[in-house]
Amino acid sequence: MAAAATAADDDGGMALVRIKPLGAGGGGVEASASEDGEVGVVAEDGGVAIVGGGARKSVWAYPKHVIGAEQDNVALYAEFMPRRVDAFLEGTNVNIMCYGQTGSGKTHTMPPGIMARAAAGAFGSEPAPEFGLCPRGLLDICVQLEQRRQQSDTRYLLTASAVELTVAEGNIDMFSKAEVANSSGALPDQLRWFSGANGILLDKTTKPPALFGMTETTIDGPESVLALFEAIACRNTAGTGMNDTSSRSHCFVFLTLYAHAPGSDAVRTSRFQFIDLAGSERLNDAHGSKASTNSTQAGLNNVGYYEGLSTNFGLMMLSQRMREVATAGKKGASAKKLVQMSFKTGAEPDLVPLLSETLAGCALSLICVCVSAAPANRSQSRNALDFGRVFSTLKVWPRKQPEVKLRVLRARASELVASGNAKGGGANARYTAVRKAQGEAGRKLGEVLAAITASAVFDGLTRRFFRNRSPHSHEGRKKK
């Protein structure tokens, strides 16, 4: 059995594997498999192995860290997140991603299903033991920002956005979705076909490509934190033959930190992306063999089947781009060349451009490959482990984001606002929507710059909520 990892083991490696134990929830094949105790994936010295099924044992040696059943979310966070939180606070972009088949524990690892209870204040100011990397990371960042504010004159402003990439609805602003839920009294699962596709569009001309049009709320106290939890709780889920609460969208939570030293004429901006990918799935097992019969008609009528098909396609495109970049890196391609390859855009799903910084190695990234121990999932676990292996070979050279002159940022804000006010485009709905989204982004940037340079800023991180301590153990960490 592989030894449990410790904080000292975290050398910045990009990939770790988490094995979901049998009977740990999710329904589908997990429930039936737990009855006889047979397992298909095990941790062993030197990596992870797929065993049984009449085939030769396969071993993946790339993961330096294998997270077994004995390590919960608290331990997982304490071992792998402090370094990345510190990097974000110092000005480096960070991406954390969970990948795996449906029902393998990705959402439990990232934003667990208790977000609705958390949004209602069920856990108060304390991070619940079940909290995954995203909510626990947000609370940790808020605590540390309060400590930094007390120890220096640097002004900090933290904002958050939450977006889900869906098949039927496009890119959805989860804050707007939560508002609809509040005003209508509908439960999140009743908003699965939320009609507010909100004009959140990807601008592929920026480097890296960026979304425009989503809500960007300032995290300045308990209410804003709970509002983010509420937005995350509205994510699309549905029952399938493989998972009782299968996520039907890719969920992105963006944290943006603006830092400004008094007297300086520049601002440093860093971004933290928490990404819970929708799971790949065997379509016949998830939606029944009849769903794929005459796929042109029956498949399109079965929305779940169509969602699964589109999710599988998007993940395949991500894997293909990742392999291209990894192969070029092995052949000695320059950093500039790898960035160009990663940032190129075409007809691929928005998921791929949004992860371009990770592919290019510009962000401090970590992937948690989640696999199920159920023997029926051997083939899907094999695919997930292969994905993680290629991911682990990507070149990494994250660096602190440069400071940008205030006049440049103000000019950018004015440019975006002007774009939103510009006329033209005729009947091109997408062109008009992009312009509108850019205008909103420009106004928000102007508000942020006004706040971050004000004489009294960021006093909203209340000590009664974000106490002077971190939600994970800091034993062994150096004081700054």
Side-chain angles (χ1 to χ4, degrees), residues 412-434:
R412 175 58 173 164
S414 298
E415 177 186 338
L416 290 171
V417 171
S419 177
N421 294 333
K423 296 181 179 180
N428 190 325
R430 179 177 175 84
Y431 178 88
T432 302
V434 169

Side-chain angles (χ1 to χ4, degrees), residues 35-176:
E35 296 175 359
D36 57 22
E38 181 186 0
V39 296
V41 180
V42 297
E44 61 175 36
D45 291 336
V48 181
I50 292 182
V51 296
R56 182 180 179 182
K57 182 173 76 170
S58 301
V59 179
W60 283 259
Y62 73 85
K64 298 179 180 178
H65 314 294
V66 179
I67 309 301
E70 72 281 359
Q71 291 178 283
D72 59 12
N73 280 345
V74 177
L76 176 64
Y77 187 95
E79 289 163 7
F80 298 101
M81 286 294 286
R83 177 177 184 267
R84 291 161 178 87
V85 168
D86 286 345
F88 170 65
L89 296 175
E90 290 294 330
T92 300
N93 290 344
V94 181
N95 292 340
I96 305 293
M97 175 170 60
C98 284
Y99 176 90
Q101 77 167 78
T102 183
S104 60
K106 299 182 304 300
T107 298
H108 173 74
T109 299
M110 188 64 74
I114 60 171
M115 285 293 91
R117 291 172 54 205
F123 308 106
S125 62
E126 300 295 327
E130 298 87 352
F131 273 14
L133 301 180
C134 178
R136 193 173 293 276
L138 172 63
L139 293 177
D140 190 7
I141 288 167
C142 289
V143 169
Q144 294 200 47
L145 279 179
E146 175 65 9
Q147 294 172 353
R148 286 173 178 247
R149 187 182 68 84
Q150 294 175 7
Q151 296 168 2
S152 74
D153 294 331
T154 300
R155 298 164 182 165
Y156 298 98
L157 193 146
L158 181 68
T159 68
S161 300
V163 175
E164 56 180 342
L165 312 184
T166 73
V167 174
E169 297 281 348
N171 303 331
I172 295 178
D173 180 8
M174 299 175 78
F175 278 100
S176 296

